[in-house]
Amino acid sequence: MSNHKNKKRFLLMSVMILIFSITLLGCSSELEENSDSTSEGSNMITFAWPRDIGAMNPHMYNPSQLFAQSMIYEPLVSYQDGGELKPHLAESWKISEDGKEYVFNLRQDVKFSDGTNFNADIVKKNFDAILKNADMHGWLGFISKIDETEAIDEFTFKLTLKESYYPTIQELAVVRPVRFLGEAGFPEDGDTSKGVAKPVGTGPWVLDEYKVDEFAIFKRNENYWGELPSVEKIKVKVIPDAETRVLAFEKGDLDVIYGEGVISIDSFKQLESTGSYRTSISEPVATRQLVMNTNKEQLSDERVRQALHYGFNKQAMVEGVTSGLEEKADYILPKNLPYTAKVDIKPVDYNVEKAQKLLDEAGWRLPKGKNIREKDGKPLEIELMYNSAESIQKTMAETLQAEWAGLGVKLNIVGVELTTQVERFKANEFDLNFFSNYGAPYDPHTFVNIVATKGFGFREAISAYPNKDEILNQISEVQQTIDENERQQLYTTILSSLQEQGAIVPISYIKKIAIYQKDVSNFTFPANRDEHPFTGTSINE
């Protein structure tokens, strides 16, 4: 695969996932005319979302919302706890010895919500529609490697790649674009990039009523092939303002508030403290990281990077800034992702004396009568860029500024819009930057791939690593490795080396929150960061 294609794929992914996942976390025209006139029975869960659900096109991106797409459309395989990939619309699959051919045995008891059959022909039609716009989906690694799609018989589908690419099965679990639209949903020309005729899927929910920018009501698909949801309907109210969401919840207009950053930490803690509601906090979904650009002279020495890591009280900062909603991170990827459990690195504990010693050894001395260290007449002055809309990043930046000042390091902090943050990171125009990995089901392969991608930011950030070329070769090798043990060893080596040399500092583990009325029960967080959370959730009548 060319570097150009790699760059294109992962730069697109950076903008797409950062905007709709990290910072915050339609449907047919005939539905848009409906008003909020449904009779709201007791067997319905109502929750709020900051924006409209979008066009409900399984093959396209914003403005369609991931959780809503996952209610209607399903994958061949599903991502479960601990990174386990389980059969879903495919009962089983077989991979050839060379890692290029994937044969899927499809379930024979599945129908779309309009009663039509799910089979290999419709799987091929969906894949072919996606491949017509392959450049649009190039961020997903296996798409550009597809050589052929084939419906072998009614319930057997074959996917042939140009070269082996082990994350193929894991990437088939993502919410978009490889989920399946029924025949009636395709436009006349078959080009789903321009829209769908109607949202017809195989999932447990059907879009029933919809008014743009106001609400959407999903009703249970009574002909669903799997276990039927406990509740009959899910109502999504569009409430852009976080505090308005809190007020609606307190009034009883909402049953559930769920997601990342959907309400402030203070609001969550206040609601929790009343004892009137139930709350849940998920396992880590991603790591908040601090990326240091080793291209910059002040950060090119590993001792300086390590000194900065030793030189702030991570535990106190994370606890103070997030009130316990996040936890101190010792690893650059959470340990609940595939291949990460065996990464074993000694945590960097707060140690000001060690930080000062490392800076001294690196030649950055504190001149008498000054409070900023210097080397060859240059001050130890660096800049940290953060997303101005993210209060957690801002407060953490201010904390680092104060703590590092005590070491003799001048940290300038600058808040920018998310798009500017992404652009500057890609252009290598940064000293330090906040970042978060993408989580399940994208990592670890997506994270290491972007590290290797020219023009993203990470590759430049690790430019001073003595073994940079070796790391890049290992990242290329791990994608095509067929042997499971060899793959595990490569990931352990790659992730350990990236972290040990200090350009990527783990800060905290990001988690989802949920707060719900006491008549809501059996709420669980999905293993897939982007899936809907309503499987099994019930409401007491």
Side-chain angles (χ1 to χ4, degrees), residues 366-395:
L366 193 60
K368 189 174 181 180
K370 294 189 177 182
N371 55 15
I372 300 175
R373 290 176 180 265
E374 294 180 2
K375 181 179 180 181
D376 301 329
K378 294 181 180 179
L380 186 46
E381 183 174 358
I382 49 180
E383 180 185 273
L384 170 57
M385 175 174 60
Y386 68 90
N387 177 3
S388 56
E390 256 238 35
S391 61
I392 289 178
Q393 284 188 20
K394 181 176 187 293
T395 309

Side-chain angles (χ1 to χ4, degrees), residues 53-267:
I53 62 166
M56 289 300 94
N57 183 339
H59 302 160
M60 293 301 292
Y61 305 96
N62 284 333
S64 292
Q65 297 299 290
L66 288 154
F67 82 89
Q69 285 169 299
S70 73
M71 294 172 71
I72 296 175
Y73 304 109
E74 296 185 296
L76 291 175
V77 301
S78 65
Y79 185 99
Q80 300 298 324
D81 290 335
E84 186 179 1
L85 295 162
K86 289 190 174 181
H88 202 79
L89 291 179
E91 280 188 324
S92 63
W93 57 87
K94 185 175 181 181
I95 306 171
S96 63
E97 288 188 9
D98 63 5
K100 294 181 181 179
E101 294 181 356
Y102 292 73
V103 177
F104 296 91
N105 298 309
L106 307 179
R107 292 189 183 275
Q108 300 184 23
D109 57 345
V110 178
K111 291 185 181 293
F112 286 95
S113 57
D114 65 351
T116 57
N117 291 329
F118 172 78
N119 53 39
D121 286 334
I122 197 66
V123 169
K124 176 176 170 55
K125 183 167 184 172
N126 275 264
F127 265 96
D128 292 349
I130 293 163
L131 292 173
K132 283 180 182 177
N133 299 282
D135 286 349
M136 188 180 300
H137 311 301
W139 63 270
L140 199 59
F142 86 98
I143 294 291
S144 64
K145 301 180 186 295
I146 295 176
D147 187 42
E148 185 179 5
T149 62
E150 181 183 358
I152 295 177
D153 58 37
E154 187 176 4
F155 296 108
T156 310
F157 174 74
K158 182 179 178 181
L159 184 69
T160 304
L161 305 182
K162 301 168 189 173
E163 61 186 56
S164 63
Y165 181 69
Y166 99 82
T168 296
I169 294 295
Q170 192 166 330
E171 291 188 353
L172 284 169
V174 305
V175 170
R176 56 195 183 198
V178 192
R179 295 205 175 188
F180 301 97
L181 179 69
E183 184 68 43
F186 279 85
E188 286 187 15
D189 63 0
D191 187 355
T192 52
S193 71
K194 300 172 184 175
V196 297
K198 59 176 71 172
V200 180
T202 62
W205 304 96
V206 178
L207 187 57
D208 187 36
E209 295 189 43
Y210 174 43
K211 190 167 184 180
V212 178
D213 290 331
E214 291 190 23
F215 73 92
I217 296 177
F218 296 84
K219 69 178 180 181
R220 187 167 61 193
N221 178 4
E222 299 297 339
N223 296 315
Y224 183 51
W225 62 272
E227 184 178 350
L228 278 179
S230 299
V231 294
E232 294 174 0
K233 292 184 177 183
I234 302 290
K235 182 173 183 177
V236 183
K237 285 188 174 182
V238 180
I239 305 178
D241 179 66
E243 291 310 309
T244 306
R245 274 175 239 137
V246 172
L247 292 173
F249 182 78
E250 289 180 310
K251 285 174 59 181
D253 294 341
L254 301 176
D255 297 303
V256 177
I257 292 176
Y258 159 85
E260 298 170 45
V262 288
I263 60 174
S264 71
I265 292 173
D266 288 343
S267 294

Side-chain angles (χ1 to χ4, degrees), residues 410-478:
K410 184 179 181 184
L411 179 66
N412 301 314
I413 60 175
V414 55
V416 297
E417 291 185 356
L418 176 62
T419 51
T420 302
Q421 185 182 29
V422 172
E423 288 166 1
R424 283 188 55 185
F425 190 45
K426 292 188 301 186
N428 196 31
E429 296 173 358
F430 75 100
D431 296 348
L432 296 98
N433 180 43
F434 282 110
F435 188 80
S436 166
N437 66 291
Y438 303 128
Y442 307 99
D443 291 328
H445 69 275
T446 296
F447 178 73
V448 300
N449 283 347
I450 64 169
V451 168
T453 303
K454 283 186 177 180
F456 188 90
F458 276 101
R459 185 166 175 143
E460 290 72 18
I462 66 168
S463 60
Y465 281 20
N467 64 337
K468 174 187 175 183
D469 290 340
E470 182 183 358
I471 293 173
L472 296 179
N473 288 334
Q474 290 168 339
I475 290 173
S476 178
E477 185 180 350
V478 77

Side-chain angles (χ1 to χ4, degrees), residues 327-400:
E327 64 182 270
K328 177 177 74 77
D330 290 326
Y331 302 94
I332 57 176
L333 293 183
K335 289 296 209 90
N336 57 354
L337 293 174
Y339 306 106
T340 59
K342 292 188 178 180
V343 177
D344 189 18
I345 298 171
K346 186 178 179 180
V348 174
D349 296 321
Y350 181 47
N351 190 327
V352 172
E353 287 185 7
K354 189 165 186 176
Q356 291 172 333
K357 183 180 178 182
L358 285 166
L359 290 172
D360 286 341
E361 290 175 358
W364 292 97
R365 306 273 180 175
L366 193 60
K368 189 174 181 180
K370 294 189 177 182
N371 55 15
I372 300 175
R373 290 176 180 265
E374 294 180 2
K375 181 179 180 181
D376 301 329
K378 294 181 180 179
L380 186 46
E381 183 174 358
I382 49 180
E383 180 185 273
L384 170 57
M385 175 174 60
Y386 68 90
N387 177 3
S388 56
E390 256 238 35
S391 61
I392 289 178
Q393 284 188 20
K394 181 176 187 293
T395 309
M396 285 184 172
E398 291 169 343
T399 303
L400 291 171

